[in-house]
Amino acid sequence: MTAPIPRDIPDLPAVPGAPALSPSPVPATAVVAPVRHPLTATFRLLTALAAITGVTITLLLGSPTRHRSKTGFRLQPPVG
């Protein structure tokens, strides 16, 4: 909301009334409140937990050289 315009300002035109809403090409079903889907939310949560668990297990059980080689970093042999 905007603040009302005071009438004591000279040469200020009157504020017209609220404009009527024009018809919209968007159907009303596109702007209604979303419906909750608890089964879908549970599935997405379990999928995310499975992915996090898989990554954690891979990081804990894998060797550091294997993880570094996937990033493009190569270990150099000792010099000397």
Side-chain angles (χ1 to χ4, degrees), residues 33-66:
V35 179
R36 303 285 183 208
H37 298 284
L39 187 61
T40 304
T42 304
F43 173 74
R44 289 178 179 172
L45 178 66
L46 291 175
T47 303
L49 289 175
I52 291 171
T53 303
V55 169
T56 303
I57 290 172
T58 302
L59 290 174
L60 291 176
L61 296 180
S63 69
T65 56
R66 189 179 79 160

Side-chain angles (χ1 to χ4, degrees), residues 18-40:
L21 294 176
S22 60
S24 174
V26 179
T29 55
V31 293
V32 296
V35 179
R36 303 285 183 208
H37 298 284
L39 187 61
T40 304

